[in-house]
Amino acid sequence: MILLLHTLIEAVVGLLFLLYPRAGELVPGFGSSEGPTFELLMKMYGLAALFLAGLSLYAYLKRKDDRIFLLLTASLSAYHYAMILVQTVYNPDQRAALLHFLLAIFLTAQFLGRRKVSWDTDRSRLN
């Protein structure tokens, strides 16, 4: 379920940044800058968010495949942990860091939950 929520959040943010010129005012920490460089930043951030939404949706659709699921949930978790560091250091508005923190924790829980199952399966095969 967290993967679908993650997909939804990233897709909405991505589409917002790509299609709505004043999206920076809606997202904590972006402010209301203007100009071609800021527009470029918004478009690039939008594409990155849509890419993450796609990865998350793919992980959800392939949730039966342990290797794909574990790789993608670990990767998405690592991304959000890195974003926590960036948001904490460079963004005076900590709401974005909090959102990345929550997503990182939930994605890590998904990863560890599935990993524990495979560890238990491996352990039972040895006995």
Side-chain angles (χ1 to χ4, degrees):
M1 190 66 180
I2 186 62
L3 286 171
L4 288 178
L5 178 64
H6 184 265
T7 300
L8 180 66
I9 291 169
E10 294 288 354
V12 166
V13 168
L15 290 173
L16 192 65
F17 280 10
L18 280 174
L19 303 175
Y20 184 63
R22 300 182 61 91
E25 296 173 2
L26 301 174
V27 177
F30 266 88
S32 58
S33 295
E34 294 178 356
T37 303
F38 184 71
E39 285 182 35
L40 176 64
L41 175 68
M42 297 294 286
K43 302 297 182 201
M44 290 187 320
Y45 194 91
L47 284 176
L50 286 176
F51 180 75
L52 292 173
L55 286 179
S56 185
L57 181 62
Y58 186 71
Y60 176 77
L61 295 174
K62 296 291 188 174
R63 64 189 177 275
K64 303 275 189 227
D65 185 341
D66 283 343
R67 291 175 46 168
I68 290 173
F69 184 86
L70 290 171
L71 174 67
L72 291 177
T73 53
S75 299
L76 290 169
S77 296
Y79 166 79
H80 285 291
Y81 285 118
M83 283 299 291
I84 293 166
L85 292 173
V86 169
Q87 293 289 339
T88 301
V89 172
Y90 296 106
N91 190 347
D93 189 337
Q94 295 302 306
R95 291 179 290 176
L98 178 61
L99 176 61
H100 285 285
F101 175 75
L102 292 173
L103 290 171
I105 293 299
F106 287 130
L107 287 165
T108 301
Q110 289 269 295
F111 171 81
L112 292 175
R114 177 67 64 89
R115 192 67 192 125
K116 182 183 180 313
V117 169
S118 64
W119 283 331
D120 291 343
T121 303
D122 292 345
R123 198 173 303 130
S124 69
R125 286 183 191 157
L126 293 174
N127 294 332

